[in-house]
């Protein structure tokens, strides 16, 4: 009787060890997937944690930024279409990037 109980207990423990190993593999797989997706969502770093809640001010700023971006991209596009000098094209692109914060303050009267 004692040998049978010991054998059944050994079988239960072996089955439990197999189940624990499978669970550990599953948890590790989920952790790797979560880490990969987090890395893909934030390729350039950023704040860890949850995203801030959306607000009316945030949506308005996004619209303003989009409008300014559309205007500057279209101006650079016109310049690139009619100007053949790569030096002037590059200078315009760099000037646009450097002038972005100033344009935001001047055009939309907000602090950055």
């Amino acid at each position: 009787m004692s040998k049978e109980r010991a054998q059944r207990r050994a079988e239960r423990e072996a089955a439990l060890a197999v189940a624990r190993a499978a669970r550990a593999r599953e948890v590790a797989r989920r952790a790797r997937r979560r880490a990969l997706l987090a890395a893909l969502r934030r390729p350039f770093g950023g704040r860890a944690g949850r995203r801030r809640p959306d607000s009316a001010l945030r949506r308005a700023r996004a619209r303003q930024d989009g409008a300014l971006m559309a205007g500057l991209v279209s101006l650079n596009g016109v310049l690139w279409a009619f100007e053949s000098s790569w030096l002037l094209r590059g200078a315009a692109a760099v000037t646009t990037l450097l002038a972005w914060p100033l344009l935001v303050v001047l055009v939309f009267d907000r602090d950055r």
Side-chain angles (χ1 to χ4, degrees):
M1 182 67 97
S2 177
K3 288 183 181 180
E4 291 175 6
R5 273 191 279 158
Q7 184 179 2
R8 283 189 303 230
R9 183 177 57 213
E11 289 172 358
R12 280 194 312 267
E13 289 176 356
L16 192 58
V18 168
R20 283 185 186 139
R23 172 80 175 140
R25 284 193 307 270
E26 180 68 20
V27 167
R29 185 184 68 81
R30 284 183 184 167
R32 283 192 310 270
R33 180 168 172 80
R34 196 175 313 118
L36 176 66
L37 290 176
L40 289 175
R41 286 186 191 120
R42 285 180 276 126
F44 301 110
R47 284 187 341 122
R50 295 184 305 173
R51 184 177 162 185
R52 291 181 299 183
D54 202 15
S55 67
L57 178 61
R58 188 177 205 176
R59 288 190 300 270
R61 284 187 173 189
R63 273 193 308 272
Q64 290 173 350
D65 287 344
L68 183 60
M69 178 67 76
L72 292 175
V73 166
S74 63
L75 284 175
N76 277 311
V78 168
L79 179 78
W80 277 59
F82 294 114
E83 183 60 46
S84 62
S85 169
W86 281 98
L87 182 64
L88 189 59
R89 289 176 175 181
V94 168
T95 302
T96 299
L97 290 175
L98 292 176
W100 177 269
L102 178 67
L103 291 172
V104 165
V105 171
L106 291 177
V107 174
F108 301 119
D109 192 31
R110 69 175 186 211
D111 297 330
R112 272 272 162 165

